[in-house]
Amino acid sequence: MKLKCIIYVNRDDPRIFIYKHPKWKWFGVTLNFAHGKSFPILLLTLISAFLPIYLQQLFRNQENFAMFLFVYYILWMLACLLYYFHMADSDLKRHPGNQSAR
């Protein structure tokens, strides 16, 4: 199955994190939704993305909350990118082979 969109489902592929393009790895990483582990990973990513909305209630009177949000989302994006790309690289090393043959 070729990757033509954001959603990737392939039961024959043992990897969970998949590079969107085999030659250009910087192009992005997606999840293989044929595996059950991809749903909790996606859920944790979304929960951590919406965490500041909950924290806004706690910091309602804080003047620096906008700066906190800015720094949080910069660090959150960097952490997600590093985690996803690192896991895609380790999955590719763990399961080498021709990706298009899967």
Side-chain angles (χ1 to χ4, degrees):
M1 176 178 186
K2 288 191 174 188
L3 185 64
K4 294 184 180 181
C5 62
I6 296 172
I7 298 174
Y8 179 75
V9 179
N10 188 353
R11 293 180 187 208
D12 296 332
D13 195 349
R15 299 174 296 162
I16 296 173
F17 295 90
I18 311 293
Y19 284 116
K20 289 185 178 181
H21 195 277
K23 291 181 184 177
W24 302 322
K25 293 181 180 179
W26 54 267
F27 202 67
V29 175
T30 190
L31 295 170
N32 186 356
F33 286 101
H35 296 284
K37 292 180 182 179
S38 62
F39 292 103
I41 293 169
L42 180 64
L43 184 66
L44 287 173
T45 304
L46 291 175
I47 287 172
S48 65
F50 292 112
L51 182 66
I53 295 172
Y54 172 73
L55 290 176
Q56 184 180 11
Q57 301 300 321
L58 298 175
F59 294 108
R60 185 177 297 171
N61 298 327
Q62 296 291 328
E63 298 171 358
N64 297 330
F65 187 70
M67 188 61 172
F68 168 76
L69 278 180
F70 178 74
V71 171
Y72 178 83
Y73 279 119
I74 294 294
L75 293 175
W76 175 80
M77 285 190 319
L78 183 64
C80 285
L81 284 172
L82 289 174
Y83 178 73
Y84 272 54
F85 277 94
H86 172 72
M87 293 305 292
D89 194 40
S90 66
D91 276 353
L92 192 59
K93 288 178 184 175
R94 198 172 340 153
H95 305 289
N98 188 2
Q99 299 170 14
S100 61
R102 294 186 176 132

